[in-house]
Amino acid sequence: MVGEMVDTSQTYVPRDSGVLKLWHWLRSHPALLPVVLSVVMALVFALTVPNFADLRNIMNIFGQLGFLGFLCIGMTYVMVAGGIDLSSYTVVSAAAVVGATVMVATDSTVPGCLLMLVIGLAFGTINGIAIAYLRMVPFIVTLSTMVLAEGFAIWFTQAQSVYGLPYAFIDIFSARILPMTWGISARPVGIPVAGIAVLVAALILGFVLSRTLYGRRVYLTGANEETARISGIRVRRIKFSTYVLAGLMAAITAMILTADLGTATTAMVRDVRLMDIIAATVIGGASLKGGKGSILGSMFGLLFLTMLSNAFNLLGVSPFIAMVIKGTVLVAVIGLDVLRAK
Amino acid sequence: MTAKLHMQGVTKVFPGVKALDDVSISVKSGEVLGLVGVNGAGKSTLMNVLGGIYRPDGGHIEIDGRRVDFARPIDADAAGIAFIHQELLYFPSLTVAENMFISHLPTGKLPFSVDKRAARARAQASLDQLGSGIRPTARMESLSVGEMQVVEIARAVAMGADIVIFDEPSSSLSIKEKEALFNIVRKLKAEGKAVIYISHFLDEIQELCDRYVVLRNGQLVGSGDIAEVTHDQIVEMIVGQVVTERAARTRRKGGAPMLSLEGIRREGILDGASLELREGEVLGLWGLMGSGRTELIRSVLGLDPMDGGRITLAIDGDSREVSHDELLERTAYVTESRRTDGLFLDEAIWKNISSTTLADYARGRMRVLDKAAEAGTARSMIDRLKIMTPDHHTQAAILSGGNQQKVVFAKWLNRKPDILILDEPTRGVDVSSKGEIGELVGALAEAGTSVLLVTSEIEEMVALADRVLVLRDGMIAAEMLGEDITETALMAAALRTEAAHA
Ligand SMILES: Nc1ncnc2c1ncn2[C@@H]1O[C@H](COP(=O)(O)OP(=O)(O)OP(=O)(O)O)[C@@H](O)[C@H]1O
Ligand SMILES: [Mg+2]
């Protein structure tokens, strides 16, 4: 028996293209989750936590984004390309103490800042060469440079803080502009420059990552290194560049933090903050397997975590309880990521 | 006798695709049912429903006349259904025995302990039953694809499955391994198992199966006894139109040398292989799996280490020695395994297709990508290669196997390369697309592209190659030209190598 001919050529026209489009759109916008989370969280806290919606507090939160924001941007690039960078927060200290020492000695801003940049980039280059060209495991390499940078900073300062920074330096980086009054704030509150800086950096580097040739190459390298390489993408160069960028971001963080604290110490970014950086990036849609994530997502991930800490602070919740809650949120988000991948 | 297995009116809808539309099939014990159809027809989906991987949106399954409902793969397991997947799933660093009993390890005397000896003995018993010489203690990663498949089948036997599904089992096997597989299928049949066998090779279907079922666009378009149809009639049902004979072709001569490899060596695998690829020819590289074909290509492209040898490439008419990267830049390489190094599985089709020519879409000083242009290219490739997909935003991972392969082709065609290297280019591709890809390769060679073809399919080699080099023990052992390239000659060359290894 020979089967009768059936004309089935139309079956593959999308039957319900509205649903299909929504599906694709949700899939291609994982940053939606942290954005929604942040907005909901902001509303809830504004209504329930006293002083949360106060202008001064809002500007505080905005300024705090400047502390970890750059590190999150660097981490996003590294993770999208399929790597991880555990060293960035101790590199901040290493760059800060050397740069600050030179600033104090010369009483001028520029040489010290340049030195911070050099040290940040140097650590990024070491990570990049070891991982991209010598093919060592990112986790191990950056764990080593993390210890190396910390050891270096402690040795260099003999565990002492560096004081006496030039006022010009402090004024530039910890400045607040456009003072205004709003709500119950008695004194005018300015917009922190650090927050503006991170916003500008996020817009530019977010654009580069999501829209440009280089950015696509970073994504494809992380999505499947072997395929990317065979497709003609110089994956080693791409991976190298992401670690150098992370180093640069650590250097900028060193400047902002040193100015804000008015001092440089060996433990400027405490180790629990490393977890915040990774958590913000993962909440923002990045995956430890690479190829996923976005600057927009990471920034909202960071905003979410910063608001959480801030609200707990205002409520007087123990910071350790806050850590437990943050850890729980992170596990929940990663769980969601696994579900989404199914 | 009632059917062992009956699937009634099964329907399955994915976003944008009706993958199965009211399909009914039955299989009796001791019978082999051949399941055929073009890429994306719904074969794997139908079997995934049977294997408990997907819930059907309509219809039901009966085993021994009783209705069953599978919520999870384990339920299908328990009902005696074993599924040998199109893409094998295994734990490379575990042993054969551990892989076979991964979900049902015999427990030892202590709680949570595993009785390794019992596991080994049971593994040995079922491997013996299949007449295989694989040791239960061997590591999975040390086996060839064919051997891994035997392990999967042995697992099915050990579980006491009486319905066995094979999804394109032969597409990565050597000639000898295929024979072994066929014997196993016949054995299962003789033992009274109900077997479902999916393949794009109709001669296999005709040799092994008792009955056939043809799917097209998710619908059942034909079924019956194998003995009552001819090869051409099945092809007609599969593609939905009358097939015309292709005209006999003449073998191309090839022009100036394009790429020459001299004394390529790699420790333990390649022993001074040399060849010359000319402009506008299809050069076949023939040899059994493990003869070093893929290794030669990967070493030369710098993807694996190379311990010695020279690579000379003609660039704008000038021949000079080049680095691996320079060669890689000018080469399109359709790899052997699309899932590991051919595709970005999680990415949309359009991103896969543009990945080889990204710089062409970069605009302005910021080098911003023109996504609309990328999408345009993707859409025209989807039309040109007849890739079956709801749209170009679809993830590569959810395409059917053959359509994934077409996406790999599309991304390289987009590059318009000087050199095209094809390693098993039509693995998992259906009859009609195979013909189309063959024509495409021919047209590229006509237009001056140098094509290096590796394939284990003898008909494909005869149909496409202008010249064939036989690779044996990491060296070029013989060359075949023009009329000498016949199925018999290739078979003899391959068997000679296999015999030398036995
Ligand atoms: N998880 C999924 N989500 C969406 N669509 C899917 C999914 N799985 C399969 N499809 C679609 O269902 C259709 C049938 O696919 P299926 O894998 O069953 O084809 P097939 O007959 O096995 O093809 P091949 O010979 O290429 O392996 C295809 O259009 C495929 O893209
Ligand atoms: Mg299939």
Side-chain angles (χ1 to χ4, degrees):
Chain A
M1 182 214 91
V2 176
E4 75 287 20
M5 298 285 166
V6 184
D7 181 21
T8 52
S9 52
Q10 289 307 303
T11 317
Y12 278 85
V13 173
R15 294 168 328 109
D16 187 354
S17 59
V19 173
L20 190 68
K21 276 201 183 113
L22 184 69
W23 171 254
H24 286 320
W25 192 83
L26 285 176
R27 253 187 48 79
S28 55
H29 292 83
L32 208 63
L33 173 74
V35 171
V36 171
L37 266 181
S38 299
V39 171
V40 171
M41 183 91 355
L43 288 176
V44 170
F45 285 159
L47 293 176
T48 57
V49 179
N51 295 334
F52 182 82
D54 179 51
L55 184 63
R56 183 173 304 278
N57 190 49
I58 290 174
M59 285 305 161
N60 263 342
I61 293 177
F62 186 57
Q64 273 167 19
L65 291 182
F67 303 158
L68 293 191
F70 286 98
L71 296 181
C72 275
I73 292 174
M75 186 67 90
T76 306
Y77 270 79
V78 169
M79 280 181 68
V80 168
I84 191 148
D85 184 2
L86 306 178
S87 70
S88 58
Y89 80 99
T90 59
V91 171
V92 170
S93 311
V97 292
V98 177
T101 305
V102 170
M103 278 185 213
V104 173
T106 60
D107 196 33
S108 65
T109 302
V110 177
C113 284
L114 285 179
L115 211 56
M116 289 190 191
L117 286 176
V118 168
I119 291 174
L121 291 172
F123 273 101
T125 306
I126 294 171
N127 284 336
I129 289 176
I131 293 163
Y133 293 99
L134 305 179
R135 302 188 192 188
M136 292 160 73
V137 183
F139 190 86
I140 303 296
V141 169
T142 57
L143 191 67
S144 313
T145 42
M146 172 183 109
V147 174
L148 192 111
E150 186 166 32
F152 170 78
I154 295 176
W155 167 78
F156 187 85
T157 58
Q158 300 298 314
Q160 302 295 308
S161 300
V162 183
Y163 286 107
L165 292 161
Y167 285 114
F169 171 71
I170 294 182
D171 288 347
I172 297 171
F173 286 94
S174 65
R176 294 191 164 220
I177 57 170
L178 296 178
M180 51 189 155
T181 45
W182 179 41
I184 56 162
S185 304
R187 279 178 299 138
V189 184
I191 307 173
V193 168
I196 295 174
V198 85
L199 197 67
V200 171
L203 285 175
I204 295 173
L205 290 171
F207 181 82
V208 168
L209 187 59
S210 67
R211 292 290 153 79
T212 68
L213 177 63
Y214 169 74
R216 178 72 62 74
R217 286 178 171 157
V218 174
Y219 274 105
L220 294 182
T221 298
N224 186 335
E225 196 178 324
E226 274 300 302
T227 305
R229 192 164 161 209
I230 290 170
S231 305
I233 294 171
R234 307 247 166 135
V235 292
R236 276 169 291 193
R237 212 178 277 180
I238 298 288
K239 288 202 287 181
F240 174 76
S241 71
T242 61
Y243 287 99
V244 173
L245 182 81
L248 176 66
M249 294 295 116
I252 295 175
T253 308
M255 296 175 201
I256 291 176
L257 267 183
T258 308
D260 185 77
L261 299 172
T263 173
T265 68
T266 51
M268 311 219 352
V269 189
R270 284 175 308 124
D271 48 4
V272 291
R273 298 304 231 152
L274 170 64
M275 155 96 169
D276 281 357
I277 299 163
I278 296 176
T281 314
V282 171
I283 292 173
S287 155
L288 293 167
K289 282 185 291 176
K292 295 202 168 66
S294 68
I295 300 291
L296 178 73
S298 298
M299 287 299 122
F300 274 90
L302 180 62
L303 177 64
F304 172 76
L305 289 178
T306 309
M307 287 194 303
L308 210 61
S309 302
N310 178 273
F312 289 155
N313 220 341
L314 292 177
L315 290 172
V317 177
S318 147
F320 301 108
I321 302 272
M323 274 164 73
V324 170
I325 293 178
K326 273 196 208 166
T328 312
V329 169
L330 181 61
V331 170
V333 167
I334 293 177
L336 205 76
D337 184 54
V338 172
L339 282 184
R340 191 165 43 189
K342 276 198 174 172
Chain B
M1 195 174 117
T2 62
K4 172 76 192 163
L5 166 77
H6 180 68
M7 297 179 82
Q8 175 62 44
V10 174
T11 298
K12 177 75 201 172
V13 182
F14 292 117
V17 188
K18 198 162 193 177
L20 293 173
D21 186 2
D22 193 19
V23 175
S24 304
I25 62 166
S26 10
V27 203
K28 293 195 206 75
S29 295
E31 181 181 65
V32 184
L33 175 71
L35 186 52
V36 294
V38 297
N39 297 129
K43 305 179 297 292
S44 296
T45 305
L46 185 64
M47 292 303 107
N48 283 333
V49 168
L50 181 55
I53 297 163
Y54 295 146
R55 295 295 286 268
D57 298 314
H60 66 265
I61 303 170
E62 288 169 21
I63 292 179
D64 295 323
R66 267 184 305 143
R67 263 179 90 143
V68 289
D69 184 27
F70 303 145
R72 285 161 304 159
I74 297 184
D75 300 341
D77 240 32
I81 296 173
F83 195 162
I84 318 297
H85 287 271
Q86 187 165 9
E87 320 281 349
L88 293 175
L89 306 164
Y90 58 92
F91 299 91
S93 58
L94 297 185
T95 66
V96 167
E98 284 163 341
N99 263 283
M100 280 174 60
F101 296 108
I102 197 78
S103 53
H104 307 71
L105 275 173
T107 47
K109 294 201 179 67
L110 297 169
F112 301 115
S113 73
V114 170
D115 188 345
K116 285 204 176 154
R117 187 141 5 121
R120 273 204 297 276
R122 282 175 57 189
Q124 186 74 64
S126 37
L127 285 166
D128 286 349
Q129 199 179 334
L130 297 175
S132 149
I134 302 168
R135 286 174 306 111
T137 49
R139 297 233 166 267
M140 207 62 184
E141 60 200 347
S142 70
L143 304 184
S144 73
V145 183
E147 288 171 325
M148 290 185 200
Q149 213 167 51
V150 172
V151 172
E152 287 253 340
I153 302 168
R155 176 189 148 98
V157 171
M159 297 291 131
D162 36 35
I163 300 169
V164 186
I165 306 166
F166 292 90
D167 194 353
E168 298 190 36
S170 61
S171 57
S172 339
L173 302 186
S174 70
I175 298 172
K176 244 183 136 178
E177 285 173 329
K178 264 182 214 170
E179 250 335 296
L181 170 76
F182 296 167
N183 285 331
I184 289 175
V185 173
R186 290 192 194 101
K187 225 169 188 160
L188 293 173
K189 172 178 150 87
E191 285 167 12
K193 315 260 187 225
V195 178
I196 301 178
Y197 190 96
I198 301 179
S199 178
H200 291 296
F201 298 99
L202 297 182
D203 39 349
E204 285 177 15
I205 297 282
Q206 288 184 305
E207 195 181 327
L208 285 176
C209 303
D210 305 304
R211 288 193 311 115
Y212 67 92
V213 165
V214 185
L215 292 184
R216 194 185 333 131
N217 281 345
Q219 301 183 345
L220 195 139
V221 292
S223 64
D225 284 345
I226 275 288
E228 288 168 21
V229 281
T230 64
H231 182 280
D232 287 353
Q233 282 172 317
I234 298 188
V235 173
E236 260 176 57
M237 279 186 262
I238 290 174
V239 293
Q241 55 188 307
V242 179
V243 277
T244 46
E245 279 288 313
R246 257 180 216 104
R249 69 188 191 94
T250 51
R251 305 210 183 262
R252 284 171 285 266
K253 277 274 180 287
M258 184 71 202
L259 169 70
S260 75
L261 309 177
E262 287 162 73
I264 306 296
R265 286 191 305 103
R266 184 172 157 210
E267 200 53 47
I269 299 173
L270 298 169
D271 190 18
S274 302
L275 63 83
E276 191 175 79
L277 177 62
R278 298 180 200 133
E279 224 166 76
E281 73 166 348
V282 179
L283 175 61
L285 208 49
W286 181 251
L288 86 158
M289 297 210 175
S291 62
R293 301 170 307 182
T294 300
E295 289 79 2
L296 175 62
I297 294 168
R298 288 186 56 91
S299 295
V300 167
L301 291 176
L303 302 168
D304 280 343
M306 185 170 109
D307 298 327
R310 266 164 58 95
I311 308 167
T312 320
L313 185 65
I315 300 173
D316 305 327
D318 256 0
S319 270
R320 63 178 175 85
E321 204 170 331
V322 293
S323 68
H324 298 302
D325 277 347
E326 277 174 290
L327 180 59
L328 190 59
E329 248 163 41
R330 289 182 162 72
T331 304
Y333 177 24
V334 175
T335 60
E336 182 180 28
S337 44
R338 55 181 168 254
R339 296 176 73 86
T340 48
D341 54 15
L343 290 171
F344 300 100
L345 277 179
D346 287 344
E347 302 294 338
I349 294 175
W350 66 272
K351 281 193 193 170
N352 272 283
I353 291 180
S354 64
S355 64
T356 50
T357 47
L358 271 182
D360 295 350
Y361 301 98
R363 310 269 183 265
R365 301 203 38 187
M366 283 288 286
R367 315 237 67 197
V368 175
L369 291 174
D370 182 349
K371 288 188 187 173
E374 288 180 80
T377 309
R379 276 198 301 268
S380 70
M381 279 295 172
I382 288 171
D383 289 345
R384 179 165 162 204
L385 298 185
K386 304 196 181 72
I387 300 171
M388 271 203 198
T389 169
D391 63 11
H392 57 282
H393 291 293
T394 302
Q395 247 182 311
I398 64 177
L399 293 180
S400 77
N403 282 302
Q404 287 180 351
Q405 187 68 8
K406 290 188 192 175
V407 173
V408 175
F409 244 89
K411 76 177 209 181
W412 289 117
L413 286 181
N414 193 17
R415 162 117 42 118
K416 303 187 187 68
D418 289 340
I419 300 175
L420 175 63
I421 300 180
L422 305 170
D423 197 350
E424 307 290 355
T426 58
R427 175 173 290 173
V429 169
D430 65 52
V431 256
S432 64
S433 307
K434 216 170 254 183
E436 286 158 18
I437 287 180
E439 272 166 27
L440 211 77
V441 170
L444 286 172
E446 282 312 326
T449 309
S450 309
V451 183
L452 185 61
L453 170 71
V454 171
T455 175
S456 308
E457 276 175 45
I458 219 161
E459 302 83 16
E460 187 164 70
M461 194 54 105
V462 174
L464 296 183
D466 299 314
R467 192 156 68 93
V468 173
L469 297 175
V470 180
L471 196 62
R472 192 177 301 154
D473 296 329
M475 286 166 67
I476 305 296
E479 179 174 20
M480 296 181 198
L481 294 170
E483 300 315 309
D484 295 343
I485 308 173
T486 59
E487 294 199 11
T488 4
L490 289 170
M491 187 71 91
L495 290 178
R496 200 172 321 134
T497 39
E498 292 210 357
H501 274 262

